[in-house]
Amino acid sequence: MRLTEENYYTNESNWKYWSVSQYKQFTRCEAAAMAQLRGEYEPPVTKALLVGSFFDAYFDGSLEQFKEQHKEIFTRKKELRAEFRQAQKMIERAKRDPLFMKFMSGEAQKIMTAEMFGVPWKVKIDSFISDTCITDLKSAANFRTLPRYRYDLQGAVYQEVARLNGYGVLPFYLAVCTKERTPGMRIYQIPQSALDMALREIQDNMPHFIQVKSGEIVPKYCGVCDYCKTVQGAEIHNYLELLED
Ligand SMILES: [Zn+2]
């Protein structure tokens, strides 16, 4: 199966290939990840996700198409809703910054695949400059909360897939614009030591996840995510467990 813009996010491609987002889903809840693969569960698209997609769409040149496909971002008067006016402001701010735009000037939405840990992986890179660096675009509430999203895992996989495709070890950057009233902009480099550590973490977890995905092992229910709350019945718990940590 050759991956293209059209089939990258399909179910068939998600069964065949691992991706950073799929790996993260397995770390959060194996049962939800498997239900999603089987087409039984679709996590809701939040407003915050949609604002992020609006911002991303400008940089990959698909903003007009995005506006066509998401009528819900407009009011009845055909004006952009407040959150998306904010995203527009972030775009305007980023466009005026030469450094930010330099990092975003690579090949947009570069798709690559490689065999890692015994299974095929796919990546889609926001800005790929083949002899310089890999950059992923992020819109974030603020800078402080960035590490919460484990972008080190993303950088580790992107870098390793690029390396296996013959591009050498490219540094990984995040081009971040905040959703604050006055948008802030920074370029963060994730140090090589953090990327190496993240790749080892993935390597340690993969044998188990591969067995879950192939159906050899029954997936674990995390018990707290939206999917688990939907499918699991009530259980008896000890009240005191709520007081722990
Ligand atoms: Zn769960």
Side-chain angles (χ1 to χ4, degrees):
M1 173 181 199
R2 200 186 140 68
L3 286 185
T4 62
E5 193 64 44
E6 283 68 42
N7 67 14
Y8 188 88
Y9 291 112
T10 58
N11 219 252
E12 192 192 356
S13 134
N14 290 336
W15 273 112
K16 173 138 182 19
Y17 292 95
W18 284 83
S19 64
V20 176
S21 57
Q22 186 173 84
Y23 170 83
K24 282 185 175 174
Q25 281 162 6
F26 272 83
T27 61
R28 282 193 295 266
C29 180
E30 295 172 6
M34 289 303 288
Q36 215 176 324
L37 275 167
R38 288 193 306 264
E40 294 166 9
Y41 173 69
E42 198 59 61
V45 177
T46 62
K47 191 69 74 57
L49 272 178
L50 210 55
V51 170
S53 305
F54 182 100
F55 182 68
D56 293 350
Y58 168 76
F59 289 92
D60 67 31
S62 66
L63 188 56
E64 286 317 307
Q65 195 187 338
F66 183 90
K67 287 176 178 172
E68 285 292 311
Q69 285 167 353
H70 295 276
K71 292 292 176 211
E72 69 271 31
I73 69 175
F74 295 101
T75 63
R76 251 177 285 170
K77 288 184 191 161
K78 305 263 184 275
E79 284 163 353
L80 276 176
R81 290 185 187 280
E83 307 88 320
F84 299 95
R85 282 206 304 276
Q86 170 67 12
Q88 189 68 51
K89 199 159 110 182
M90 290 158 64
I91 292 168
E92 296 308 326
R93 182 66 193 90
K95 271 162 71 176
R96 290 204 310 275
D97 192 275
L99 187 67
F100 196 96
M101 294 312 282
K102 196 172 166 199
F103 274 89
M104 291 313 298
S105 69
E107 195 180 333
Q109 304 302 315
K110 166 88 170 166
I111 293 172
M112 273 188 272
T113 61
E115 181 104 354
M116 285 198 296
F117 320 120
V119 284
W121 285 71
K122 59 176 177 179
V123 298
K124 202 169 184 221
I125 297 170
D126 286 339
S127 173
F128 183 69
I129 308 178
S130 64
D131 57 354
T132 312
C133 67
I134 297 168
T135 305
D136 208 69
L137 179 68
K138 300 291 177 203
S139 46
N142 55 58
F143 296 120
R144 275 190 325 280
T145 55
L146 279 174
R148 205 181 282 172
Y149 300 97
R150 295 299 314 271
Y151 296 132
D152 54 332
L153 298 170
Q154 188 178 13
V157 169
Y158 283 17
Q159 183 185 65
E160 183 64 1
V161 169
R163 191 186 69 81
L164 292 167
N165 277 272
Y167 291 104
V169 178
L170 294 171
F172 178 75
Y173 295 93
L174 299 173
V176 188
C177 191
T178 69
K179 299 174 189 166
E180 295 158 308
R181 194 173 43 201
T182 302
M185 274 180 316
R186 279 184 196 167
I187 308 292
Y188 277 99
Q189 181 177 10
I190 302 191
Q192 193 55 42
S193 56
L195 297 176
D196 292 344
M197 215 148 51
L199 197 67
R200 277 198 299 275
E201 178 184 329
I202 297 169
Q203 183 174 24
D204 290 344
N205 289 329
M206 282 308 287
H208 173 74
F209 290 158
I210 290 169
Q211 282 185 300
V212 174
K213 190 173 172 182
S214 70
E216 288 162 64
I217 292 182
V218 179
K220 280 200 280 287
Y221 288 76
C222 75
V224 294
C225 76
D226 286 344
Y227 173 72
C228 286
K229 284 192 282 189
T230 311
V231 296
Q232 285 188 310
E235 290 169 343
I236 296 172
H237 281 256
N238 183 335
Y239 177 78
L240 294 182
E241 78 186 26
L242 296 172
L243 305 178
E244 284 166 17
D245 62 60

